Amino acid sequence: MNRTGIVKALIGLLLTLALPRCASSQTMEYPLAVAAAADGSLYVADRNLPGIWKVQDGVPSVYFQASKTFRTPLNAVRCLAVDASGTLYAGDSSTREVYRFDASGKPQPLTTGGIGIPMAIAFNSKGNLLVADLEQHKIFEVPSAGGKATEFAKVQAPRGLAIDGKDRVWVLSNSKQPLVRIDENRKTEVLVEEAMFEFTHQLVLDSEETAYFCDGYAKTLWKLKAGGKPEKMFVGEPLKNPVGLWLAGDQLLVADPHQKTIYALPKSGATTLVDMVKK
């Protein structure tokens, strides 16, 4: 090979190495959160992409590619949510911000500061956002149009968040009282009084106020019926570290970063999980 050929080969190699890994492999690396759109497609937050995938018919493609530089938008997405209109939201610990994606798929910051580490997002009947802040041990409320985040409640180590039909805010945490419910008057009701879990993450509610949540260290999905006690609904393989959770119809979607995929499980329970991502 002559010098010109060698130079071209080196340039081709450098260009290949410079491409993001996702551009060629289209595989997830560390999915932390999942949210479903009305058309059945899934949005998945990937800490190591970094950014967000969109999965359609089991095939992932990059929806938003963030920079690998810390303190840049969506470099460290921790949570996702989709509102009633189908709009996607993302909580990012890298920029300490919550973003709403516009019609062109670009993220727009919603607050003027005040958020620390957003771990979960939910919406009340007014369309306002409630955000679980792990760093400040608080639940913040953000106007639907965006603006200053104001304190709604103080909760130690909040990780999961859901809102029921009465606008009561359910908060899952790694504390001595791991599940509480807070009404509009800021009165707190303890639903689980003992620290019986190893390391909990996200929380979802169905229309009957049955709560579902995941325990990453215990490789367990839990269910709590109204007025009842927590019961295990799925334990062990293939789960290795269930972190993200979303309720799509009657299906629970589970993000497992150690398995690098999203699983589906009927909320009624099953003995097996369905892998939602084609390898």
Side-chain angles (χ1 to χ4, degrees):
M1 182 182 293
N2 59 28
R3 178 175 293 181
T4 300
I6 293 173
V7 170
K8 288 182 177 179
L10 287 173
I11 291 174
L13 177 61
L14 289 172
L15 288 174
T16 300
L17 293 175
L19 288 173
R21 285 174 289 172
C22 61
S24 58
S25 64
Q26 297 291 300
T27 57
M28 296 180 188
E29 297 186 42
Y30 206 80
L32 288 178
V34 58
D39 64 0
S41 59
L42 310 180
Y43 295 104
V44 180
D46 190 329
R47 178 64 186 86
N48 291 351
L49 179 58
I52 300 172
W53 298 91
K54 187 172 185 179
V55 181
Q56 292 182 300
D57 298 322
V59 179
S61 60
V62 177
Y63 178 77
F64 182 85
Q65 175 70 66
S67 167
K68 292 185 181 294
T69 303
F70 195 56
R71 298 301 183 199
T72 56
L74 302 177
N75 167 267
V77 182
R78 302 291 177 181
C79 54
L80 297 173
V82 176
D83 68 12
S85 69
T87 301
L88 177 65
Y89 295 74
D92 176 36
S93 63
S94 175
T95 51
R96 306 162 71 85
E97 181 61 281
V98 177
Y99 294 86
R100 175 170 53 214
F101 283 83
D102 62 21
S104 64
K106 294 182 178 180
Q108 306 296 333
L110 287 184
T111 77
T112 55
I115 300 292
I117 300 178
M119 296 300 294
I121 306 168
F123 308 94
N124 63 18
S125 63
K126 299 176 183 177
N128 292 343
L129 288 75
L130 279 295
V131 183
D133 188 331
L134 180 64
E135 180 183 62
Q136 300 186 63
H137 305 287
K138 293 179 181 180
I139 307 301
F140 283 102
E141 184 170 3
V142 180
S144 58
K148 183 179 179 181
T150 58
E151 181 182 320
F152 177 83
K154 294 181 180 179
V155 178
Q156 186 70 24
R159 286 185 170 272
L161 188 67
I163 300 177
D164 64 25
K166 299 177 182 178
D167 269 348
R168 295 176 298 185
V169 180
W170 299 51
V171 185
L172 182 69
S173 66
N174 289 311
S175 68
K176 294 181 179 180
Q177 297 176 334
L179 184 60
V180 299
R181 184 168 59 194
I182 308 166
D183 65 20
E184 287 186 298
N185 297 318
R186 315 298 168 90
K187 182 180 178 181
T188 299
E189 177 185 2
V190 178
L191 300 179
V192 178
E193 298 181 346
E194 56 181 316
M196 57 186 295
F197 313 112
E198 292 186 37
F199 202 88
T200 53
H201 291 280
Q202 293 185 354
L203 163 76
V204 295
L205 285 174
D206 67 15
S207 59
E208 297 176 346
E209 294 184 5
T210 298
Y212 305 85
F213 49 95
C214 44
D215 185 334
Y217 285 1
K219 303 177 184 179
T220 300
L221 300 179
W222 290 84
K223 176 168 66 175
L224 175 63
K225 295 181 179 180
K229 295 183 178 180
E231 56 186 89
K232 296 178 181 180
M233 64 178 298
F234 194 94
V235 182
E237 296 292 339
L239 294 177
K240 289 188 176 181
N241 185 27
V243 174
L245 199 61
W246 186 267
L247 182 60
D250 64 352
Q251 296 287 313
L252 289 168
L253 302 176
V254 187
D256 190 324
H258 289 186
Q259 290 284 38
K260 302 182 179 183
T261 195
I262 306 300
Y263 292 111
L265 172 74
K267 69 175 187 178
S268 58
T271 57
T272 59
L273 302 180
V274 176
D275 195 330
M276 299 297 289
V277 182
K278 294 178 181 179
K279 304 299 189 293

